[in-house]
Amino acid sequence: MKKTWFITGASKGFGLELARQLLAKGENVAATSRNKNELENQIAASPNFLALQLDLTDENDVQRAITQTIAEFGSLDVVINNAGFGLLGAVEELSDAETRQNFEVNVFGSLNVIRKALPQMRKQNAGHILNIASIGGYLGDFPGFGIYCATKFAVIGFTEALAMEVKDFNIKATAVLPGYFRTNFLTSGSLVTPKNELDAYESTRESQKFHQEQMNLNQPGDPVKGAKAIIDTVYAENPPVHLFLGSDAYKLATEKSNAMMDELERWKSVTVSTDF
């Protein structure tokens, strides 16, 4: 049965690849971007395709887009919260405004979509919400990525709770944790750096240089395969709450899990000593 997919940030990266693959499968796709023209330039017109200009930080605008999608296709089956941007700067050097803007888009934008989508999904007694997080939402030890990682930790946290809250309505929730994929994420339009850099943070500048000059366009992950894996997850009988993508993500997650267990055991006597 044909599904209706609502994808944010669909004019580039994973969002664009997801939209293209879904349309090729004959699915209904409502795709959003800050610039509707970018969507229409990238994706050919089709009765199954609805291009929507959307400001994720405006709840009323989100409601308009969701309402338009349901009016166009009659249902809302899958939401993919893909829109977001990277922020590379040390915690100290990023201003309050820069920090809050990253949370506005990466966290509160997704929550706006979820709140507006769930009434229709509950009415249908079916649906799936996928929130694109990052391996940086599972571990934060990347110099210069503290705030970005904090936004993705938040995404994973509310996705875990959401999965428990909506299961009685036959709705699924999945956090997607990609490693490095060869999208335009590390280009200037998707990766923001501080207005006021502090020379003292050499490790952050090295991280910035590495990501912009060495890792950019050399990422090991194939976005075509990544998008297919996300789509396939929706059709799985028991989709995961956490979907890690990429061999690098698997390696980093395994190392983090092992390190956490080691630290937990080392400090066990202190940890358990605080009970009554």
Side-chain angles (χ1 to χ4, degrees):
M1 184 176 169
K2 185 183 291 188
K3 293 181 184 294
T4 296
W5 301 63
F6 184 92
I7 305 170
T8 67
S11 61
K12 56 189 174 183
F14 265 130
L16 178 59
E17 183 57 39
L18 284 162
R20 284 173 171 164
Q21 289 192 27
L22 288 165
L23 288 167
K25 286 168 66 73
E27 299 282 66
N28 295 324
V29 176
T32 83
S33 174
R34 287 172 297 174
N35 187 333
K36 184 179 175 181
N37 290 337
E38 284 186 10
L39 281 172
E40 292 173 333
N41 290 337
Q42 297 275 5
I43 302 172
S46 158
N48 294 353
F49 173 55
L50 178 63
L52 296 165
Q53 188 149 320
L54 176 62
D55 177 0
L56 282 173
T57 65
D58 182 339
E59 251 192 321
N60 292 328
D61 208 29
V62 173
Q63 181 66 74
R64 174 195 58 77
I66 294 288
T67 301
Q68 200 171 337
T69 299
I70 297 166
E72 181 77 16
F73 299 122
S75 66
L76 180 61
D77 303 297
V78 185
V79 164
I80 302 183
N81 279 308
N82 171 70
F85 69 93
L87 184 63
L88 204 171
V91 170
E92 182 186 351
E93 65 188 353
L94 288 167
S95 69
D96 179 70
E98 289 169 320
T99 299
R100 286 178 185 273
Q101 183 59 23
N102 206 209
F103 273 86
E104 281 290 341
V105 176
N106 293 7
V107 179
F108 296 115
S110 293
L111 289 171
N112 285 340
V113 173
I114 291 166
R115 277 195 301 272
K116 300 306 181 185
L118 276 174
Q120 176 67 23
M121 289 185 170
R122 287 191 291 105
K123 181 180 172 185
Q124 296 169 176
N125 198 44
H128 198 154
I129 295 171
L130 297 101
N131 300 315
I132 308 297
S134 167
I135 187 59
Y138 190 70
L139 63 155
D141 50 353
F142 306 97
F145 278 98
I147 299 304
Y148 173 76
C149 286
T151 69
K152 295 306 185 179
F153 267 73
V155 168
I156 293 169
F158 72 63
T159 303
E160 290 177 351
L162 181 68
M164 301 301 292
E165 293 165 359
V166 300
K167 66 179 182 178
D168 290 342
F169 307 108
N170 194 36
I171 300 168
K172 308 292 193 297
T174 298
V176 182
L177 291 78
Y180 290 106
F181 275 77
R182 205 167 299 179
T183 66
N184 48 9
F185 178 75
L186 295 178
T187 58
S188 58
S190 299
L191 185 66
V192 176
T193 53
K195 289 184 175 67
N196 298 303
E197 295 180 355
L198 300 176
D199 292 338
Y201 285 99
E202 292 181 12
S203 64
T204 297
R205 296 289 81 76
E206 288 169 6
S207 177
Q208 183 177 331
K209 187 175 181 180
F210 168 75
H211 283 89
Q212 292 180 321
E213 297 178 14
Q214 291 173 252
M215 180 58 79
N216 190 26
L217 303 181
N218 289 307
Q219 299 96 321
D222 180 347
V224 174
K225 293 179 180 177
K228 183 180 184 302
I230 293 169
I231 293 168
D232 288 347
T233 300
V234 172
Y235 294 98
E237 189 174 343
N238 294 301
V241 176
H242 308 86
L243 176 65
F244 291 87
L245 293 179
S247 58
D248 54 348
Y250 181 87
K251 180 175 181 289
L252 289 167
T254 302
E255 290 171 353
K256 166 68 179 280
S257 299
N258 291 339
M260 284 290 289
M261 287 306 301
D262 289 345
E263 192 170 61
L264 196 60
E265 289 304 316
R266 275 201 314 275
W267 288 86
K268 180 181 176 181
S269 60
V270 175
T271 300
V272 301
S273 72
T274 55
D275 294 350
F276 280 105

